[in-house]
């Protein structure tokens, strides 16, 4: 088995998110010279917007899965019993991961450091390669043409 394939669907997204958040905190301390000076009211507004949007997206996504009575387990996309394409899923194929990304962006804004932003990019790159792409393959196998049509009409992130 190739090295990359060993990571596919092996590390829960919440753990990846937490590791990235910790790395962002460490990066901001180690690279304090890369601090960003943003007016506090502007920063606070963006942080609140990111947190509310991120949590809202995740809630809407989970609720849609519960309504469809399909799995929410990110390590077993092969257990999906329904293809959810309405609600928040009309705008992004991955609202849970987008919500997590927005929470990391809020954290980066709070840290006010350019180096911390690398954690957001790292999260997106890792989740895309080792979580989203394998999920997409599983959904393609399960739902075939229906998933292909959905994939063509709705972007992966936004």
């Amino acid at each position: 088995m190739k090295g990359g394939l060993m990571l596919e669907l092996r590390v829960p997204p919440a753990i990846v998110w937490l590791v990235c958040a910790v790395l962002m905190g460490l990066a901001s301390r180690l690279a304090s010279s890369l601090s960003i000076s943003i007016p506090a009211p502007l920063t606070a507004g963006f942080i609140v917007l990111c947190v509310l949007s991120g949590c809202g997206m995740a809630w809407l996504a989970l609720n849609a899965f519960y309504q469809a009575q399909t799995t929410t387990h990110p390590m077993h996309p092969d257990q999906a019993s329904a293809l959810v394409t309405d609600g928040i899923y009309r705008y992004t194929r991955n609202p849970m991961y987008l919500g997590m990304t927005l929470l990391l962006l809020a954290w980066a804004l709070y840290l006010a450091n350019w180096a911390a932003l690398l954690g957001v990019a790292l999260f997106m790159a890792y989740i895309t390669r080792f979580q989203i792409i394998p999920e997409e393959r599983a959904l393609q196998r399960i739902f075939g043409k229906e998933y292909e049509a959905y994939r063509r009409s709705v972007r992966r992130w936004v």
Side-chain angles (χ1 to χ4, degrees), residues 62-133:
L62 286 171
N63 189 49
F65 272 41
Y66 288 128
Q67 292 292 321
Q69 297 180 339
T70 192
T71 184
T72 59
H73 197 302
M75 310 312 289
H76 298 288
D78 54 316
Q79 295 176 359
S81 60
L83 181 62
V84 180
T85 61
D86 56 354
I88 190 74
Y89 285 91
R90 290 181 303 202
Y91 308 103
T92 174
R93 295 195 317 256
N94 295 287
M96 289 182 228
Y97 304 135
L98 182 55
M100 295 170 91
T101 301
L102 287 170
L103 292 175
L104 286 176
L105 182 58
W107 177 231
L109 289 169
Y110 175 80
L111 294 170
N113 187 286
W114 288 108
L117 287 172
L118 294 174
V120 179
L122 175 66
F123 176 79
M124 291 180 75
Y126 183 95
I127 286 296
T128 298
R129 169 60 185 90
F130 296 108
Q131 189 67 40
I132 293 173
I133 291 173

Coordinates of all heavy atoms in Angstrom, one line a residue, residues 62-133:
L62 N -25.0 18.6 9.8 CA -25.3 17.4 10.6 C -26.8 17.2 10.7 O -27.3 16.0 10.6 CB -24.8 17.6 12.0 CG -23.3 17.4 12.2 CD1 -22.8 17.9 13.6 CD2 -22.9 16.0 11.9
N63 N -27.6 18.3 10.8 CA -29.0 18.1 10.8 C -29.6 17.5 9.5 O -30.5 16.7 9.5 CB -29.7 19.5 11.1 CG -31.2 19.4 11.3 OD1 -31.6 18.6 12.1 ND2 -31.9 20.2 10.6
A64 N -29.0 17.9 8.4 CA -29.4 17.4 7.1 C -29.1 15.9 7.0 O -29.9 15.1 6.5 CB -28.7 18.1 5.9
F65 N -28.0 15.4 7.6 CA -27.7 14.0 7.6 C -28.6 13.3 8.5 O -29.1 12.2 8.2 CB -26.2 13.8 8.1 CG -25.2 13.8 7.0 CD1 -25.3 14.8 6.0 CD2 -24.1 13.0 7.0 CE1 -24.3 14.8 5.0 CE2 -23.2 13.0 6.0 CZ -23.3 13.9 5.0
Y66 N -28.9 13.8 9.7 CA -29.9 13.2 10.6 C -31.3 13.1 9.9 O -31.9 12.0 10.1 CB -30.0 13.9 11.9 CG -28.7 13.7 12.8 CD1 -28.1 14.8 13.3 CD2 -28.2 12.4 13.0 CE1 -26.9 14.6 14.1 CE2 -27.1 12.3 13.8 CZ -26.4 13.4 14.3 OH -25.3 13.2 15.1
Q67 N -31.7 14.1 9.3 CA -33.0 14.1 8.6 C -33.0 13.0 7.5 O -34.1 12.4 7.3 CB -33.3 15.5 7.9 CG -33.5 16.6 8.9 CD -34.8 16.4 9.7 OE1 -35.8 16.0 9.2 NE2 -34.7 16.7 11.0
A68 N -31.9 12.8 6.8 CA -31.8 11.8 5.7 C -31.6 10.4 6.3 O -31.6 9.5 5.6 CB -30.7 12.2 4.7
Q69 N -31.3 10.3 7.6 CA -31.0 9.1 8.3 C -29.9 8.3 7.7 O -29.9 7.2 7.4 CB -32.3 8.2 8.4 CG -33.4 8.8 9.2 CD -34.6 8.0 9.2 OE1 -34.8 7.1 8.4 NE2 -35.5 8.2 10.2
T70 N -28.8 9.1 7.4 CA -27.6 8.5 6.9 C -26.4 8.8 7.9 O -26.5 9.6 8.8 CB -27.3 9.1 5.5 OG1 -26.2 8.3 4.9 CG2 -26.9 10.5 5.5
T71 N -25.3 8.1 7.6 CA -24.2 8.1 8.6 C -23.5 9.5 8.6 O -23.4 10.2 7.6 CB -23.2 7.1 8.3 OG1 -22.2 7.1 9.3 CG2 -22.5 7.3 6.9
T72 N -23.1 9.9 9.8 CA -22.2 11.1 9.9 C -20.8 10.7 10.2 O -20.0 11.6 10.5 CB -22.8 12.0 11.0 OG1 -22.8 11.3 12.3 CG2 -24.2 12.5 10.7
H73 N -20.5 9.4 10.2 CA -19.2 8.9 10.6 C -18.2 9.2 9.5 O -18.3 8.6 8.4 CB -19.2 7.5 11.0 CG -18.1 7.0 11.7 ND1 -16.8 7.1 11.3 CD2 -18.0 6.4 12.9 CE1 -15.9 6.6 12.1 NE2 -16.6 6.2 13.2
P74 N -17.2 10.1 9.7 CA -16.3 10.5 8.6 C -15.4 9.4 8.2 O -14.8 9.4 7.1 CB -15.6 11.7 9.1 CG -15.6 11.5 10.6 CD -16.9 10.8 10.9
M75 N -15.2 8.4 9.0 CA -14.2 7.3 8.7 C -14.9 6.2 7.9 O -14.2 5.3 7.4 CB -13.7 6.7 10.0 CG -13.1 7.8 11.0 SD -12.1 9.0 10.2 CE -10.6 8.0 9.9
H76 N -16.2 6.2 7.7 CA -17.0 5.2 7.0 C -17.9 5.8 6.0 O -19.2 5.5 6.1 CB -17.7 4.3 8.0 CG -16.8 3.6 8.9 ND1 -15.9 2.5 8.5 CD2 -16.5 3.8 10.2 CE1 -15.2 2.1 9.5 NE2 -15.5 2.9 10.6
P77 N -17.5 6.5 5.0 CA -18.4 7.0 4.0 C -19.1 5.9 3.2 O -20.1 6.2 2.6 CB -17.5 7.9 3.1 CG -16.1 7.3 3.3 CD -16.1 6.8 4.7
D78 N -18.5 4.7 3.2 CA -19.1 3.6 2.5 C -20.4 3.2 3.1 O -21.2 2.4 2.5 CB -18.1 2.4 2.4 CG -17.6 2.0 3.8 OD1 -17.2 2.9 4.6 OD2 -17.5 0.8 4.1
Q79 N -20.7 3.7 4.3 CA -22.0 3.3 5.0 C -23.1 4.3 4.7 O -24.2 4.2 5.3 CB -21.7 3.2 6.5 CG -20.8 2.1 6.9 CD -20.5 2.1 8.4 OE1 -21.0 2.9 9.1 NE2 -19.7 1.1 8.8
A80 N -22.9 5.3 3.8 CA -23.9 6.2 3.4 C -25.1 5.5 2.8 O -25.0 4.7 2.0 CB -23.3 7.3 2.5
S81 N -26.3 5.9 3.3 CA -27.5 5.3 2.8 C -28.3 6.3 2.0 O -29.3 5.9 1.4 CB -28.3 4.8 4.0 OG -28.7 5.8 4.9
A82 N -27.9 7.6 2.0 CA -28.6 8.6 1.3 C -27.6 9.6 0.8 O -26.7 9.9 1.5 CB -29.7 9.2 2.1
L83 N -27.9 10.2 -0.3 CA -27.1 11.3 -0.9 C -27.8 12.6 -0.5 O -28.9 12.9 -1.0 CB -26.9 11.2 -2.4 CG -26.0 12.2 -3.0 CD1 -24.6 12.2 -2.5 CD2 -26.0 12.0 -4.5
V84 N -27.2 13.4 0.4 CA -27.8 14.6 0.8 C -27.3 15.8 -0.1 O -26.1 16.0 -0.2 CB -27.4 15.0 2.3 CG1 -28.0 16.3 2.7 CG2 -27.8 13.8 3.2
T85 N -28.3 16.4 -0.8 CA -28.0 17.4 -1.8 C -28.8 18.7 -1.6 O -28.6 19.6 -2.4 CB -28.2 16.9 -3.2 OG1 -29.6 16.6 -3.4 CG2 -27.4 15.7 -3.6
D86 N -29.6 18.8 -0.6 CA -30.4 20.0 -0.3 C -29.9 20.7 0.9 O -28.9 20.4 1.5 CB -31.9 19.6 -0.2 CG -32.1 18.6 0.9 OD1 -31.2 18.1 1.5 OD2 -33.3 18.3 1.2
G87 N -30.5 21.8 1.2 CA -30.1 22.7 2.3 C -28.7 23.3 2.0 O -28.5 23.7 0.9
I88 N -27.9 23.2 3.0 CA -26.5 23.8 2.9 C -25.7 23.0 1.8 O -24.8 23.6 1.2 CB -25.8 23.7 4.2 CG1 -24.5 24.5 4.2 CG2 -25.5 22.3 4.7 CD1 -24.7 26.0 4.2
Y89 N -26.1 21.8 1.5 CA -25.4 21.0 0.5 C -25.7 21.5 -0.9 O -25.1 21.0 -1.9 CB -25.7 19.5 0.7 CG -25.0 18.9 1.9 CD1 -25.6 18.9 3.1 CD2 -23.7 18.4 1.7 CE1 -24.9 18.4 4.2 CE2 -23.0 17.9 2.8 CZ -23.7 17.9 4.1 OH -23.0 17.4 5.2
R90 N -26.6 22.4 -1.1 CA -26.8 23.0 -2.4 C -25.6 24.0 -2.8 O -25.4 24.3 -3.9 CB -28.1 23.8 -2.5 CG -29.3 22.9 -2.5 CD -30.6 23.7 -2.6 NE -30.5 24.7 -1.5 CZ -31.6 25.3 -1.0 NH1 -32.8 25.1 -1.5 NH2 -31.5 26.1 0.0
Y91 N -24.9 24.4 -1.7 CA -23.9 25.4 -1.9 C -22.4 24.9 -1.8 O -21.5 25.5 -2.3 CB -24.1 26.6 -0.9 CG -25.5 27.1 -1.0 CD1 -26.4 26.8 0.0 CD2 -25.9 27.9 -2.0 CE1 -27.7 27.2 -0.1 CE2 -27.2 28.4 -2.1 CZ -28.1 28.0 -1.1 OH -29.4 28.5 -1.2
T92 N -22.3 23.9 -1.0 CA -20.9 23.3 -0.8 C -21.1 21.8 -0.6 O -22.1 21.4 0.2 CB -20.2 23.9 0.3 OG1 -19.0 23.2 0.6 CG2 -21.0 24.0 1.6
R93 N -20.2 21.0 -1.1 CA -20.3 19.5 -0.9 C -19.8 19.1 0.5 O -20.0 18.0 0.9 CB -19.6 18.8 -2.0 CG -20.2 18.9 -3.4 CD -19.7 17.9 -4.4 NE -18.3 17.6 -4.4 CZ -17.4 18.1 -5.3 NH1 -17.8 18.9 -6.3 NH2 -16.2 17.7 -5.3
N94 N -19.1 20.1 1.1 CA -18.4 19.7 2.4 C -18.6 20.8 3.4 O -17.6 21.4 3.9 CB -16.9 19.6 2.1 CG -16.6 18.4 1.2 OD1 -16.8 17.2 1.7 ND2 -16.3 18.6 0.0
P95 N -19.8 21.1 3.8 CA -20.1 22.1 4.8 C -19.5 21.9 6.2 O -19.1 22.8 6.9 CB -21.6 22.3 4.9 CG -22.1 20.9 4.4 CD -21.1 20.5 3.4
M96 N -19.3 20.6 6.6 CA -18.7 20.3 7.9 C -17.3 20.7 7.9 O -16.8 21.4 8.8 CB -18.9 18.9 8.2 CG -20.3 18.5 8.6 SD -20.4 16.8 9.1 CE -21.8 16.2 8.1
Y97 N -16.5 20.4 6.8 CA -15.1 20.7 6.7 C -14.9 22.2 6.5 O -14.0 22.8 7.0 CB -14.4 19.9 5.6 CG -14.6 18.4 5.8 CD1 -14.9 17.6 4.8 CD2 -14.4 17.9 7.1 CE1 -15.1 16.2 5.0 CE2 -14.6 16.5 7.3 CZ -14.9 15.7 6.3 OH -15.1 14.3 6.5
L98 N -15.9 22.8 5.8 CA -15.8 24.3 5.6 C -16.1 25.0 6.9 O -15.4 25.9 7.2 CB -16.8 24.7 4.5 CG -16.9 26.2 4.2 CD1 -15.5 26.7 3.7 CD2 -17.9 26.4 3.1
G99 N -17.0 24.4 7.7 CA -17.2 25.0 9.0 C -16.0 24.9 9.9 O -15.6 25.9 10.6
M100 N -15.3 23.8 9.9 CA -14.1 23.6 10.7 C -13.0 24.5 10.2 O -12.3 25.1 11.0 CB -13.6 22.1 10.5 CG -14.6 21.1 11.2 SD -14.1 19.4 10.8 CE -13.1 19.0 12.1
T101 N -13.0 24.8 8.9 CA -12.0 25.7 8.3 C -12.3 27.1 8.8 O -11.3 27.8 9.2 CB -12.0 25.6 6.8 OG1 -11.7 24.3 6.4 CG2 -11.0 26.6 6.2
L102 N -13.5 27.5 8.8 CA -13.9 28.8 9.3 C -13.5 29.0 10.8 O -13.1 30.1 11.2 CB -15.3 29.1 9.1 CG -15.7 29.4 7.6 CD1 -17.2 29.4 7.5 CD2 -15.1 30.7 7.2
L103 N -13.7 28.0 11.6 CA -13.2 28.0 13.0 C -11.7 28.2 13.1 O -11.3 29.0 14.0 CB -13.7 26.8 13.8 CG -15.2 26.7 13.9 CD1 -15.6 25.4 14.6 CD2 -15.8 27.8 14.7
L104 N -11.0 27.5 12.3 CA -9.5 27.7 12.3 C -9.2 29.1 11.8 O -8.2 29.7 12.3 CB -8.8 26.7 11.4 CG -8.8 25.3 11.9 CD1 -8.1 24.3 10.9 CD2 -8.0 25.2 13.2
L105 N -9.9 29.7 10.9 CA -9.7 31.0 10.4 C -9.9 32.0 11.6 O -9.1 33.0 11.8 CB -10.5 31.4 9.2 CG -10.3 32.8 8.6 CD1 -8.9 33.0 8.2 CD2 -11.3 32.9 7.4
A106 N -11.0 31.8 12.3 CA -11.2 32.6 13.5 C -10.1 32.5 14.5 O -9.7 33.5 15.1 CB -12.5 32.1 14.2
W107 N -9.5 31.3 14.7 CA -8.4 31.1 15.6 C -7.2 31.9 15.1 O -6.5 32.5 15.8 CB -8.1 29.6 15.7 CG -7.0 29.2 16.6 CD1 -6.0 28.3 16.2 CD2 -6.6 29.6 17.9 NE1 -5.1 28.2 17.2 CE2 -5.5 28.9 18.3 CE3 -7.2 30.4 18.8 CZ2 -4.9 29.0 19.5 CZ3 -6.6 30.6 20.1 CH2 -5.5 29.9 20.4
A108 N -7.0 31.8 13.8 CA -5.8 32.5 13.2 C -6.0 34.0 13.3 O -5.0 34.8 13.6 CB -5.7 32.2 11.7
L109 N -7.2 34.5 13.2 CA -7.5 36.0 13.4 C -7.2 36.4 14.9 O -6.7 37.4 15.2 CB -8.9 36.3 13.0 CG -9.2 36.3 11.5 CD1 -10.7 36.4 11.2 CD2 -8.4 37.4 10.8
Y110 N -7.6 35.5 15.8 CA -7.4 35.7 17.2 C -5.9 35.8 17.5 O -5.4 36.6 18.2 CB -8.1 34.7 18.0 CG -7.8 34.8 19.5 CD1 -8.5 35.7 20.3 CD2 -6.8 34.0 20.1 CE1 -8.2 35.9 21.6 CE2 -6.5 34.1 21.4 CZ -7.2 35.1 22.2 OH -6.9 35.2 23.5
L111 N -5.2 34.9 16.9 CA -3.7 34.8 17.1 C -3.0 36.0 16.4 O -1.9 36.4 16.8 CB -3.1 33.5 16.6 CG -3.6 32.2 17.3 CD1 -3.2 31.0 16.5 CD2 -3.0 32.2 18.7
A112 N -3.6 36.6 15.4 CA -3.1 37.7 14.7 C -1.7 37.5 14.2 O -0.8 38.3 14.5 CB -3.2 39.0 15.5
N113 N -1.5 36.4 13.5 CA -0.1 36.1 13.0 C -0.2 35.4 11.7 O -1.0 34.5 11.5 CB 0.5 35.1 14.1 CG 2.0 34.9 13.8 OD1 2.3 34.1 12.9 ND2 2.9 35.5 14.6
W114 N 0.7 35.9 10.7 CA 0.7 35.3 9.4 C 1.0 33.8 9.4 O 0.5 33.0 8.6 CB 1.7 36.0 8.5 CG 1.2 37.4 8.1 CD1 1.7 38.6 8.6 CD2 0.2 37.7 7.2 NE1 1.1 39.7 8.0 CE2 0.1 39.2 7.2 CE3 -0.7 37.0 6.4 CZ2 -0.8 39.8 6.4 CZ3 -1.6 37.7 5.7 CH2 -1.7 39.1 5.6
A115 N 1.9 33.4 10.3 CA 2.3 32.0 10.4 C 1.1 31.1 10.8 O 1.0 30.0 10.3 CB 3.5 31.8 11.4
A116 N 0.2 31.6 11.6 CA -0.9 30.9 12.0 C -1.9 30.5 10.8 O -2.5 29.5 10.8 CB -1.7 31.6 13.0
L117 N -1.9 31.4 9.8 CA -2.7 31.1 8.6 C -2.3 29.9 7.9 O -3.1 29.3 7.2 CB -2.7 32.4 7.7 CG -3.5 33.6 8.2 CD1 -3.2 34.8 7.3 CD2 -5.0 33.2 8.2
L118 N -1.0 29.5 8.0 CA -0.5 28.3 7.4 C -1.3 27.1 7.9 O -1.5 26.1 7.1 CB 1.0 28.1 7.6 CG 1.9 29.1 6.9 CD1 3.3 28.9 7.3 CD2 1.7 29.1 5.4
G119 N -1.8 27.1 9.1 CA -2.5 26.0 9.7 C -3.9 25.8 9.0 O -4.3 24.7 8.8
V120 N -4.5 26.9 8.5 CA -5.7 26.8 7.8 C -5.5 26.1 6.5 O -6.2 25.2 6.1 CB -6.3 28.3 7.6 CG1 -7.6 28.2 6.8 CG2 -6.6 29.0 8.9
A121 N -4.4 26.6 5.8 CA -4.1 25.9 4.5 C -3.7 24.5 4.7 O -4.1 23.6 3.8 CB -2.9 26.7 3.8
L122 N -3.0 24.2 5.7 CA -2.6 22.8 6.0 C -3.8 21.9 6.2 O -3.9 20.8 5.7 CB -1.7 22.7 7.2 CG -1.3 21.3 7.7 CD1 -0.4 20.6 6.7 CD2 -0.6 21.4 9.1
F123 N -4.8 22.4 7.0 CA -6.0 21.7 7.3 C -6.7 21.4 6.0 O -7.1 20.3 5.7 CB -6.9 22.5 8.2 CG -8.2 21.8 8.5 CD1 -8.3 20.7 9.3 CD2 -9.4 22.2 7.8 CE1 -9.6 20.1 9.5 CE2 -10.6 21.6 8.0 CZ -10.7 20.5 8.9
M124 N -6.9 22.4 5.1 CA -7.6 22.3 3.9 C -6.9 21.3 3.0 O -7.6 20.4 2.4 CB -7.8 23.6 3.2 CG -8.8 24.6 3.9 SD -8.9 26.1 3.1 CE -10.0 25.6 1.7
A125 N -5.6 21.4 2.9 CA -4.9 20.5 2.0 C -5.0 19.0 2.5 O -5.3 18.1 1.7 CB -3.4 20.9 1.9
Y126 N -4.8 18.8 3.8 CA -4.9 17.5 4.4 C -6.3 16.9 4.2 O -6.4 15.7 3.8 CB -4.4 17.5 5.8 CG -4.4 16.1 6.4 CD1 -3.2 15.3 6.4 CD2 -5.6 15.5 6.9 CE1 -3.2 14.0 7.0 CE2 -5.6 14.2 7.4 CZ -4.4 13.5 7.4 OH -4.4 12.2 7.9
I127 N -7.3 17.6 4.6 CA -8.6 17.1 4.6 C -9.1 16.8 3.1 O -9.7 15.8 2.9 CB -9.6 18.1 5.2 CG1 -9.4 18.1 6.8 CG2 -11.1 17.9 4.9 CD1 -9.8 16.7 7.4
T128 N -8.6 17.7 2.2 CA -9.0 17.4 0.8 C -8.4 16.1 0.3 O -9.1 15.2 -0.2 CB -8.5 18.6 -0.1 OG1 -9.2 19.8 0.3 CG2 -8.8 18.3 -1.6
R129 N -7.1 15.9 0.6 CA -6.4 14.8 0.1 C -6.7 13.4 0.8 O -6.9 12.4 0.2 CB -4.9 15.0 0.2 CG -4.0 13.8 -0.1 CD -4.2 13.2 -1.5 NE -3.4 12.0 -1.7 CZ -3.9 10.8 -1.4 NH1 -5.1 10.6 -0.9 NH2 -3.1 9.7 -1.6
F130 N -6.8 13.5 2.1 CA -6.9 12.2 2.8 C -8.3 12.0 3.4 O -8.6 10.9 3.9 CB -5.9 12.2 4.0 CG -4.5 12.2 3.5 CD1 -3.7 13.3 3.6 CD2 -4.0 11.1 2.9 CE1 -2.4 13.3 3.2 CE2 -2.7 11.1 2.4 CZ -1.9 12.2 2.6
Q131 N -9.3 12.9 3.2 CA -10.6 12.7 3.7 C -11.6 12.9 2.6 O -12.4 12.0 2.3 CB -10.9 13.6 4.9 CG -12.3 13.3 5.6 CD -12.3 12.0 6.3 OE1 -11.3 11.6 6.9 NE2 -13.3 11.3 6.2
I132 N -11.6 14.1 2.0 CA -12.7 14.4 1.0 C -12.6 13.5 -0.3 O -13.6 13.0 -0.7 CB -12.6 15.9 0.6 CG1 -13.0 16.7 1.8 CG2 -13.5 16.2 -0.6 CD1 -12.9 18.2 1.7
I133 N -11.4 13.4 -0.8 CA -11.2 12.6 -2.1 C -11.6 11.2 -1.8 O -12.4 10.6 -2.6 CB -9.8 12.8 -2.7 CG1 -9.7 14.2 -3.2 CG2 -9.5 11.8 -3.7 CD1 -8.3 14.6 -3.7

